[in-house]
Amino acid sequence: MIRHAGSARVLRGIFQCLLGLGLSAGILPAHAQASFPAKPVHLLVPAPPGGAGDTSARAIARHMAQTLNQQVVVENKPGAAATIGFRSLASSAPDGYTIGLVPVAGTAIATVTYKDLPDIERDFTIVAGIADAPHMLVVPASLGIKDVKGLLALLKNRPDYYNYASQGAGSLSHIESAVFLAAAGVSATHVPYKGSSEAIPGLISGETSMMFDSVTSVLSHVRAGKLTALATAASSRVPQLPDVPTMAELGYDLKADNAFVLLAPANTPREAMQVLTEAVRKAVQSPEVIATLENTGIVAKFTAPDAFGTVISQEFALWPDLARKLVEPSR
């Protein structure tokens, strides 16, 4: 009996020592270990409220919170063609508690116009692809133009007289317009704004004459008769405006599905990544989120991390080359 009691005391001593050294986690049962997430997750959005990215993030965050049983807090960090939010995400702790929304084409373009950006493949880990937010060519209804043919006739008649709006110099909407105008052999003056929220009022008023912007940003104005949709830059016609042709249907090699991805900082633990990816999958594939996004012109589209790596490679092979022909590195 004395020998058994002594052995028990020795075993207790060893166990307490392991606890003190932090070595017991590997031998403790799974239910004794802290599960992820143990606190709110922050979702960074590199754009102001109301746009395609913000709309997608908030719809998905609400559903993720139910799955994770934790808050998913959306934080808007707009500015500098989404690079402020992009840099902030890269410098966040790689613990799974900070993830970020990234517009892939816009980020690819930003590598040309902004210096020393984080590397999307080296400095991040893919949580999942979540949606496409296709862009559309729109003009003020007051211009009286009903199709692309009519717009080109107007521009050819008065070279450089008309202008076009964009979300900012070096933005996807800027590059799209420049590519379209060059392909059509016409010219117009670029007027950059600080995002869609500033550009669209000027477009509606006739201050500018055309713009490529997300369906999310322009759809309500098209439905209200303030803007006229001439073509979509998506791979296929958007369900909300089925009569509007694609640029490809009109003979132009211009496609901007505008894919969005959720990323986490590199070296985020695999266990946390798996939990996040599964929560995103459930959100993006839920009827509630699909309906919310489609109502605003966004296509919910879950893509697993490995598969979305191919999307990133394709976009980074396309857009920077186009941007180099149109803009100079500025920052």
Side-chain angles (χ1 to χ4, degrees), residues 282-299:
K282 289 180 178 179
V284 175
Q285 294 179 348
S286 72
E288 175 190 354
V289 171
I290 291 172
T292 297
L293 297 188
E294 286 187 349
N295 188 53
T296 60
I298 302 169
V299 181

Side-chain angles (χ1 to χ4, degrees), residues 89-108:
L89 178 61
S91 62
S92 299
D95 55 10
Y97 289 100
T98 303
I99 58 178
L101 183 78
V102 174
V104 182
T107 302

